[in-house]
Amino acid sequence: MAPFLSRRDLQFQLYEVLDTAALPSRPRFAEHSREVYDDVLNLAYSVAERYFANHLREADLHEPHVVDGKVKLPPQMEGAMRAFRDAGFFSAHHDEELGGLQLPWVVMQAVQAHFQAANISTSGYPFLTIGNANLLREFASEEQQAKYLTPLLEGRWFGTMALSEPHAGSGLADITTTATPKEDGTYAITGTKMWISGGEHELSENIVHLVLARIKSAPAGVRGISLFIVPRYRVGPDGQPGESNHVVLAGLNHKMGYRGTTNTLLNFGEGGETVGELVGEPGQGLAQMFRMMNEARIGVGMGAVMLGYAGYLASLEYARDRRQGRLPGNKDPHAEPVPITGHPDVRRMLLRQKSFVEGGLALGLYASSLVDDLHTGPEEERADTGLLLDLLTPIVKSWPSKYSQEALSDAIQVMGGAGYTRDSPVELYYRDNRLNPIHEGTEGIQALDLLGRKVTQSGGRGLTVLLERMSADLTASGDLEGVAEIRAALATAVAQSTAALRGLLAQAPALGPDRFLANAHSALEMLGHTVVGWMWLRQAAVAARKLPEARGEGADFYRGKLHAARFFAVHELPKVKAHADLLASADPTTLEMQEAWF
Ligand SMILES: Cc1cc2nc3c(=O)[nH]c(=O)nc-3n(C[C@H](O)[C@H](O)[C@H](O)COP(=O)(O)OP(=O)(O)OC[C@H]3O[C@@H](n4cnc5c(N)ncnc54)[C@H](O)[C@@H]3O)c2cc1C
């Protein structure tokens, strides 16, 4: 079986493109060293290989179902959770006083990448729990942290995020779940939440739901939304889970992929009272939840990358073995068939996958490194870092979600009929990844966020920072051999994107918001490809500098980077122009289409 992850590329991204080994110079990471990070990553690889990859297909074939009122999951999942817990990964990035290692977020994201690549649906439980605990760490009171955070960090209790309702997914302003104040300061929660991942299972002693609800008589819209901690089992004075909190499983959703992660319809306040505790102040719920969602959006992007990457590795291994046909120039019917990697069209599909998944990995880890810079980087740069991260987040979530799907389609195509069967994992990765453009805010919502909010936020400062950073890398790579094509293509894409955005923004008052945002999808595509082009320049520049000293496999690795960068420059970056033109013209075609004409 092909490896699920390229450890060499992960090392390249962390230590050669990013300067992760320099992080121990910051006070928070002073106890660390590169050896510490490598040990953690080695542990992640062995746990992922042994306890997560071992039931990838099983979790897909035997999806969650209810037996005697309890959700039944493949038995290997318990072992996976135990191994994850024993390795200390639930709390690894937290303060030492909380039992953590104070790992940088970029290393933590690289740790999680192993589990996403090995078995994305089983990794969903810790992924949600880590995000849930991070939110509580930031916004919950000391008393709430004492009650809920410790068991979450120990991996004894798991967490969820409960936002969506049957009638309110993208439009969270319309949620109707209600919180009625009680005399003791807690709230009675009533309502129904839809699509809640990890909403019911027996993998943990308790489940901590983070629920968005409206306090009775709160104003309409997002200003009236508050956040509540709602445990599955009420917590007794001894800190242990006790009686039921009446969060009732009303049904399991049967999904296309991600099947090992239970997905639930939950009723709150059915058959008894559901008690919730308010987090922070009323009306702050969505803003607080965005803390979890922004992080989750980078995590979703990384999950998409890892699925695409695993598919690429599987199809590459297959293609190297598979012999079929002869090259057009060879007319000898007795000649041996060639490995299919000999055919330019197969190379095109492999190169396209490589350029998407390695470009996406560079982007996801770069964004994760910005999370570290935001908290531990130079004080004077943090405001700019935050704005850049805000701007990039919708791209980091959406671009890999979409382009890993294309990469996985290519992976299936490379494998021919074999790729379409359950004997290979790529059809599963393809189904799993199809969720990523939907959850945590659909692609359409990310596009609106990017163009409608992030591009203009703080007077467009985030975009200026992005342009400055891209320009600095373009200048710094000016004299390097082998990067001319990616440099030229990126410079063109940057110029086209900037001109299109400036043109559109200048017309904004006359266009009005509906027409201004009508082609937001093109803004996402345009900036997404441009930013990934930049990620390729960064990788190519490192490869160009290291190649002269490299030998054998090491040299091939760098040559592969340079060639994939060239592919992205020549085959992909020219697509930026079509989106830039459409955006700048404020094309009204979609806006003018009438429902009756469909
Ligand atoms: C497997 C799975 C797991 C999930 N896990 C969770 C979870 O753990 N917790 C949770 O709270 N939710 C979860 N969700 C819900 C998920 O976040 C929503 O499905 C998603 O936000 C979309 O909402 P919706 O399904 O209601 O689609 P809709 O909001 O109805 O959207 C349908 C289409 O209309 C478009 N659209 C809607 N509004 C607009 C608009 N204003 N402008 C432009 N286009 C628009 C969307 O982009 C989409 O293409 C999960 C969903 C799935 C499928």
Side-chain angles (χ1 to χ4, degrees), residues 456-518:
T456 52
Q457 184 173 301
S458 298
R461 181 68 197 152
L463 188 61
T464 304
V465 177
L466 174 66
L467 293 173
E468 284 170 1
R469 293 202 178 189
M470 292 196 288
S471 169
D473 283 332
L474 279 164
T475 306
S477 56
D479 56 355
L480 288 175
E481 208 171 307
V483 302
E485 273 155 321
I486 182 73
R487 276 191 80 244
L490 177 62
T492 304
V494 170
Q496 288 163 343
S497 301
T498 317
L501 285 174
R502 293 218 169 107
L504 184 70
L505 287 166
Q507 302 173 66
L511 293 172
D514 290 355
R515 184 147 170 210
F516 175 74
L517 289 171

Side-chain angles (χ1 to χ4, degrees), residues 578-595:
H579 290 294
D581 288 349
L582 197 88
L583 200 63
S585 71
D587 175 64
T589 309
T590 56
L591 207 57
E592 288 170 359
M593 179 69 183
Q594 303 293 304
E595 208 174 297

Side-chain angles (χ1 to χ4, degrees), residues 161 163-164 169-170 195-197 255 263 435 438 440 442 448:
M161 52 193 296
L163 295 72
S164 308
S170 304
W195 302 119
I196 308 309
S197 297
K255 308 191 297 305
N263 192 269
L435 175 61
I438 298 173
E440 296 298 341
T442 62
L448 291 175

Side-chain angles (χ1 to χ4, degrees), residues 128 160-172 193-199 210 212 253 255-258 261-264 289 293 297 435 437-446 448:
L128 283 158
T160 74
M161 52 193 296
L163 295 72
S164 308
E165 297 181 6
H167 67 286
S170 304
L172 288 174
K193 292 287 177 186
M194 179 57 163
W195 302 119
I196 308 309
S197 297
L210 286 177
L212 288 185
N253 294 310
K255 308 191 297 305
M256 177 183 191
Y258 260 91
T261 313
T262 56
N263 192 269
T264 58
M289 198 50 121
M293 286 199 290
R297 283 174 178 177
L435 175 61
I438 298 173
H439 68 163
E440 296 298 341
T442 62
E443 193 172 314
I445 295 300
Q446 302 298 329
L448 291 175

